[in-house]
PDB file of all heavy atoms in Angstrom:
ATOM      1  N   PRO B1276     -31.277  27.975  -5.883  1.00 95.00           N
ATOM      2  CA  PRO B1276     -31.579  26.666  -6.347  1.00 95.00           C
ATOM      3  C   PRO B1276     -30.958  25.597  -5.493  1.00 95.00           C
ATOM      4  O   PRO B1276     -29.847  25.716  -4.892  1.00 95.00           O
ATOM      5  CB  PRO B1276     -31.016  26.625  -7.801  1.00 95.00           C
ATOM      6  CG  PRO B1276     -30.905  27.974  -8.220  1.00 95.00           C
ATOM      7  CD  PRO B1276     -30.613  28.805  -6.929  1.00 95.00           C
ATOM      8  N   SER B1277     -31.636  24.421  -5.438  1.00 97.00           N
ATOM      9  CA  SER B1277     -31.077  23.283  -4.695  1.00 97.00           C
ATOM     10  C   SER B1277     -31.846  22.028  -5.206  1.00 97.00           C
ATOM     11  O   SER B1277     -32.985  22.111  -5.519  1.00 97.00           O
ATOM     12  CB  SER B1277     -31.349  23.483  -3.220  1.00 97.00           C
ATOM     13  OG  SER B1277     -31.120  22.242  -2.448  1.00 97.00           O
ATOM     14  N   THR B1278     -31.172  20.900  -5.250  1.00 97.00           N
ATOM     15  CA  THR B1278     -31.790  19.671  -5.401  1.00 97.00           C
ATOM     16  C   THR B1278     -31.664  18.823  -4.058  1.00 97.00           C
ATOM     17  O   THR B1278     -32.652  18.500  -3.349  1.00 97.00           O
ATOM     18  CB  THR B1278     -31.195  18.814  -6.576  1.00 97.00           C
ATOM     19  OG1 THR B1278     -31.485  19.531  -7.748  1.00 97.00           O
ATOM     20  CG2 THR B1278     -31.807  17.437  -6.619  1.00 97.00           C
ATOM     21  N   ARG B1279     -30.389  18.512  -3.732  1.00 98.00           N
ATOM     22  CA  ARG B1279     -30.093  17.650  -2.622  1.00 98.00           C
ATOM     23  C   ARG B1279     -30.553  18.201  -1.251  1.00 98.00           C
ATOM     24  O   ARG B1279     -31.250  17.554  -0.431  1.00 98.00           O
ATOM     25  CB  ARG B1279     -28.638  17.304  -2.457  1.00 98.00           C
ATOM     26  CG  ARG B1279     -28.258  16.155  -3.329  1.00 98.00           C
ATOM     27  CD  ARG B1279     -26.828  16.435  -3.825  1.00 98.00           C
ATOM     28  NE  ARG B1279     -26.905  17.517  -4.703  1.00 98.00           N
ATOM     29  CZ  ARG B1279     -27.197  17.437  -5.985  1.00 98.00           C
ATOM     30  NH1 ARG B1279     -27.411  16.208  -6.524  1.00 98.00           N
ATOM     31  NH2 ARG B1279     -27.349  18.479  -6.789  1.00 98.00           N
ATOM     32  N   THR B1280     -30.145  19.454  -0.945  1.00 98.00           N
ATOM     33  CA  THR B1280     -30.311  20.048   0.313  1.00 98.00           C
ATOM     34  C   THR B1280     -31.877  20.129   0.653  1.00 98.00           C
ATOM     35  O   THR B1280     -32.406  19.705   1.684  1.00 98.00           O
ATOM     36  CB  THR B1280     -29.631  21.348   0.533  1.00 98.00           C
ATOM     37  OG1 THR B1280     -28.260  21.096   0.126  1.00 98.00           O
ATOM     38  CG2 THR B1280     -29.613  21.766   1.925  1.00 98.00           C
ATOM     39  N   ARG B1281     -32.548  20.775  -0.333  1.00 98.00           N
ATOM     40  CA  ARG B1281     -34.034  20.972  -0.111  1.00 98.00           C
ATOM     41  C   ARG B1281     -34.747  19.670  -0.103  1.00 98.00           C
ATOM     42  O   ARG B1281     -35.530  19.449   0.887  1.00 98.00           O
ATOM     43  CB  ARG B1281     -34.510  21.846  -1.232  1.00 98.00           C
ATOM     44  CG  ARG B1281     -35.994  22.181  -1.002  1.00 98.00           C
ATOM     45  CD  ARG B1281     -36.535  23.177  -1.937  1.00 98.00           C
ATOM     46  NE  ARG B1281     -36.755  22.708  -3.338  1.00 98.00           N
ATOM     47  CZ  ARG B1281     -37.681  22.017  -3.820  1.00 98.00           C
ATOM     48  NH1 ARG B1281     -38.696  21.738  -3.016  1.00 98.00           N
ATOM     49  NH2 ARG B1281     -37.736  21.592  -5.019  1.00 98.00           N
ATOM     50  N   ARG B1329     -31.984  28.717   2.734  1.00 98.00           N
ATOM     51  CA  ARG B1329     -30.816  28.820   1.867  1.00 98.00           C
ATOM     52  C   ARG B1329     -30.950  30.202   1.143  1.00 98.00           C
ATOM     53  O   ARG B1329     -32.006  30.582   0.699  1.00 98.00           O
ATOM     54  CB  ARG B1329     -30.745  27.759   0.775  1.00 98.00           C
ATOM     55  CG  ARG B1329     -29.701  28.078  -0.313  1.00 98.00           C
ATOM     56  CD  ARG B1329     -29.507  26.963  -1.335  1.00 98.00           C
ATOM     57  NE  ARG B1329     -28.775  25.918  -0.687  1.00 98.00           N
ATOM     58  CZ  ARG B1329     -28.209  24.884  -1.401  1.00 98.00           C
ATOM     59  NH1 ARG B1329     -28.366  24.883  -2.685  1.00 98.00           N
ATOM     60  NH2 ARG B1329     -27.498  23.925  -0.766  1.00 98.00           N
ATOM     61  N   HIS B1357     -22.011  25.858   4.774  1.00 97.00           N
ATOM     62  CA  HIS B1357     -23.047  24.927   4.483  1.00 97.00           C
ATOM     63  C   HIS B1357     -22.911  23.852   5.543  1.00 97.00           C
ATOM     64  O   HIS B1357     -22.423  22.730   5.268  1.00 97.00           O
ATOM     65  CB  HIS B1357     -22.831  24.340   3.071  1.00 97.00           C
ATOM     66  CG  HIS B1357     -23.951  23.620   2.507  1.00 97.00           C
ATOM     67  ND1 HIS B1357     -25.141  23.188   3.211  1.00 97.00           N
ATOM     68  CD2 HIS B1357     -24.222  23.244   1.212  1.00 97.00           C
ATOM     69  CE1 HIS B1357     -25.969  22.605   2.471  1.00 97.00           C
ATOM     70  NE2 HIS B1357     -25.476  22.638   1.222  1.00 97.00           N
ATOM     71  N   GLN B1360     -24.273  20.180   5.131  1.00 98.00           N
ATOM     72  CA  GLN B1360     -23.478  19.437   4.105  1.00 98.00           C
ATOM     73  C   GLN B1360     -22.365  18.804   4.943  1.00 98.00           C
ATOM     74  O   GLN B1360     -21.980  17.682   4.687  1.00 98.00           O
ATOM     75  CB  GLN B1360     -22.974  20.295   2.969  1.00 98.00           C
ATOM     76  CG  GLN B1360     -22.125  19.529   2.002  1.00 98.00           C
ATOM     77  CD  GLN B1360     -22.959  18.520   1.220  1.00 98.00           C
ATOM     78  OE1 GLN B1360     -24.023  18.772   0.720  1.00 98.00           O
ATOM     79  NE2 GLN B1360     -22.381  17.300   1.173  1.00 98.00           N
ATOM     80  N   ARG B1390     -18.447  26.744  -0.448  1.00 90.00           N
ATOM     81  CA  ARG B1390     -18.848  26.869   1.030  1.00 90.00           C
ATOM     82  C   ARG B1390     -18.831  25.485   1.712  1.00 90.00           C
ATOM     83  O   ARG B1390     -18.577  25.405   2.844  1.00 90.00           O
ATOM     84  CB  ARG B1390     -20.250  27.553   1.095  1.00 90.00           C
ATOM     85  CG  ARG B1390     -21.418  26.608   0.388  1.00 90.00           C
ATOM     86  CD  ARG B1390     -22.584  27.572   0.243  1.00 90.00           C
ATOM     87  NE  ARG B1390     -23.668  26.882  -0.509  1.00 90.00           N
ATOM     88  CZ  ARG B1390     -24.711  27.500  -1.035  1.00 90.00           C
ATOM     89  NH1 ARG B1390     -24.902  28.766  -0.800  1.00 90.00           N
ATOM     90  NH2 ARG B1390     -25.574  26.774  -1.661  1.00 90.00           N
ATOM     91  N   THR B1391     -19.005  24.442   0.874  1.00 95.00           N
ATOM     92  CA  THR B1391     -18.955  23.171   1.552  1.00 95.00           C
ATOM     93  C   THR B1391     -17.565  22.811   1.926  1.00 95.00           C
ATOM     94  O   THR B1391     -17.420  22.254   3.001  1.00 95.00           O
ATOM     95  CB  THR B1391     -19.447  21.979   0.568  1.00 95.00           C
ATOM     96  OG1 THR B1391     -18.455  21.978  -0.641  1.00 95.00           O
ATOM     97  CG2 THR B1391     -20.808  22.249   0.006  1.00 95.00           C
ATOM     98  N   PRO B1490     -19.929  17.081  -2.971  1.00 97.00           N
ATOM     99  CA  PRO B1490     -21.270  17.461  -2.395  1.00 97.00           C
ATOM    100  C   PRO B1490     -22.326  17.496  -3.482  1.00 97.00           C
ATOM    101  O   PRO B1490     -23.535  17.443  -3.159  1.00 97.00           O
ATOM    102  CB  PRO B1490     -21.038  18.867  -1.851  1.00 97.00           C
ATOM    103  CG  PRO B1490     -19.796  19.380  -2.626  1.00 97.00           C
ATOM    104  CD  PRO B1490     -18.924  18.115  -2.935  1.00 97.00           C
ATOM    105  N   LEU B1491     -21.914  17.428  -4.714  1.00 97.00           N
ATOM    106  CA  LEU B1491     -22.872  17.498  -5.849  1.00 97.00           C
ATOM    107  C   LEU B1491     -23.586  18.850  -5.812  1.00 97.00           C
ATOM    108  O   LEU B1491     -23.801  19.435  -4.722  1.00 97.00           O
ATOM    109  CB  LEU B1491     -23.791  16.318  -5.968  1.00 97.00           C
ATOM    110  CG  LEU B1491     -23.119  14.948  -5.939  1.00 97.00           C
ATOM    111  CD1 LEU B1491     -24.168  13.891  -5.941  1.00 97.00           C
ATOM    112  CD2 LEU B1491     -22.197  14.749  -7.169  1.00 97.00           C
ATOM    113  N   PRO B1492     -24.121  19.438  -6.900  1.00 94.00           N
ATOM    114  CA  PRO B1492     -24.120  18.837  -8.256  1.00 94.00           C
ATOM    115  C   PRO B1492     -22.710  18.794  -8.856  1.00 94.00           C
ATOM    116  O   PRO B1492     -21.938  19.738  -8.588  1.00 94.00           O
ATOM    117  CB  PRO B1492     -25.016  19.806  -9.063  1.00 94.00           C
ATOM    118  CG  PRO B1492     -24.918  21.080  -8.344  1.00 94.00           C
ATOM    119  CD  PRO B1492     -24.697  20.783  -6.922  1.00 94.00           C
TER     120      PRO B1492
HETATM  121  N1   CP H2467     -24.846  19.673  -1.993  1.00 62.50           N
HETATM  122  C1   CP H2467     -25.778  20.619  -2.217  1.00 62.50           C
HETATM  123  O1   CP H2467     -25.897  21.619  -1.435  1.00 62.50           O
HETATM  124  O2   CP H2467     -26.470  20.334  -3.312  1.00 62.50           O
HETATM  125  P1   CP H2467     -27.767  21.209  -3.712  1.00 62.50           P
HETATM  126  O3   CP H2467     -27.216  22.565  -4.122  1.00 62.50           O
HETATM  127  O4   CP H2467     -28.374  20.456  -4.781  1.00 62.50           O
HETATM  128  O5   CP H2467     -28.705  21.425  -2.574  1.00 62.50           O
END
Side-chain angles (χ1 to χ4, degrees):
S1277 169
T1278 296
R1279 276 143 294 273
T1280 310
R1281 184 172 70 83
R1329 169 172 287 191
H1357 196 345
Q1360 180 66 49
R1390 60 193 175 198
T1391 62
L1491 304 177

